[in-house]
Amino acid sequence: MYLQHVYKAWLLVAGLFISLGTEAQKIEVGGGVGGMLYKGDVSAFLNPRSYSPAANLFFRYNATRSVSFRAGLAAGWIQGEDRFSRDPFQQARDFSFRSTLSEATVDVEYNFRSYKLTPKAKNWSPYVFGGIGLCSFRNATIRARGMVNFPLGVGIKYEIKRPWSVGVEFGTRFTNNDYLDGLGDRTFGVTTSKLGQGNPALRDSYTYTAITVSYTFYKIVCP
């Protein structure tokens, strides 16, 4: 009886490893370094002067040759200064800010070229992605958690030497929040001047660009 239970347990474990081995080549983990840029009341356009360091980690599941699902974490900061603007109102306001920021996102990627899992395939592909995420940030005016954002962007990835891949990505995070820069329709006691208020019709957003490195689990060694 004991040997029979051991045999069944061994079959269960073996089946699990076979199942993981089948799916392993679809699993990919990686990370990247890059930077974040802010767009909002202080900077109506993406200003390279405000480019700030950031980093990310991600888990990717390559469901098909064309479609992948990804979950990621990223952290960095955004900043902006009125003195770089040509707008007389902003020059008179002379406001500056720096916000630390972290996010968790899930998105769907579409590869324009089929990402083949065969051993000798030379894989590379441009792709687009979109999804949803949660963001937390803090600046001198306000601290917020669980803010919803909507990632949308493009990238290109190349399998340099299996199982390693590199990539470049550009994505914007659209939000319904107006306080990434600390300026909104409320001043939170920082100042009572109209100069200290933001445009309530303009929502803040930020972009994240990164160079990524990832590892695909093509094989699982069975015990």
Side-chain angles (χ1 to χ4, degrees):
M1 183 66 68
Y2 173 77
L3 292 178
Q4 185 178 8
H5 285 304
V6 171
Y7 179 70
K8 289 182 178 180
W10 184 89
L11 287 178
L12 179 62
V13 173
L16 177 61
F17 273 96
I18 290 173
S19 176
L20 288 175
T22 302
E23 293 296 312
Q25 58 190 3
K26 297 184 177 183
I27 296 174
E28 187 178 349
V29 295
V33 293
M36 291 180 174
L37 271 175
Y38 145 90
K39 181 180 178 182
D41 292 305
V42 179
S43 180
F45 304 96
L46 298 178
N47 189 338
R49 290 173 181 249
S50 301
Y51 194 71
S52 305
N56 73 301
L57 296 172
F58 63 86
F59 171 90
R60 178 185 282 133
Y61 179 76
N62 300 301
T64 70
R65 292 183 178 183
S66 300
V67 177
S68 300
F69 299 94
R70 182 176 59 172
L73 299 172
W77 70 82
I78 54 176
Q79 58 186 344
E81 297 182 63
D82 276 337
R83 66 189 181 94
F84 294 134
S85 174
R86 296 181 181 179
D87 186 339
F89 172 84
Q90 288 187 243
Q91 292 178 356
R93 182 173 61 187
D94 194 26
F95 180 80
S96 64
F97 80 96
R98 174 172 168 169
S99 297
T100 58
L101 187 150
S102 60
E103 66 171 20
T105 57
V106 291
D107 53 54
V108 180
E109 299 177 352
Y110 179 79
N111 302 314
F112 289 99
R113 288 173 54 91
S114 294
Y115 231 63
K116 301 177 182 179
L117 301 177
T118 52
K120 295 183 179 181
K122 297 296 183 181
N123 288 320
W124 71 275
S125 180
Y127 63 92
V128 294
F129 67 90
I132 190 170
L134 293 176
C135 168
S136 297
F137 68 91
R138 180 175 61 184
N139 52 47
T141 304
I142 188 174
R143 179 177 183 176
R145 295 179 178 178
M147 177 188 70
V148 176
N149 64 19
F150 301 94
L152 184 66
V154 297
I156 186 169
K157 53 187 177 181
Y158 175 69
E159 197 170 46
I160 51 174
K161 186 176 181 181
R162 185 164 293 188
W164 294 98
S165 298
V166 296
V168 178
E169 184 173 290
F170 174 90
T172 297
R173 276 61 166 162
F174 299 95
T175 79
N176 289 322
N177 193 284
D178 196 28
Y179 289 97
L180 290 181
D181 49 20
L183 293 177
D185 56 349
R186 295 174 58 194
T187 60
F188 292 98
V190 175
T191 176
T192 57
S193 169
K194 291 293 184 181
L195 289 176
Q197 296 180 348
N199 181 357
L202 180 64
R203 299 304 180 188
D204 298 334
S205 63
Y206 62 98
T207 66
Y208 177 48
T209 58
I211 297 174
T212 64
V213 177
S214 62
Y215 182 95
T216 303
F217 291 90
Y218 281 104
K219 296 180 181 180
I220 286 185
V221 178
C222 295

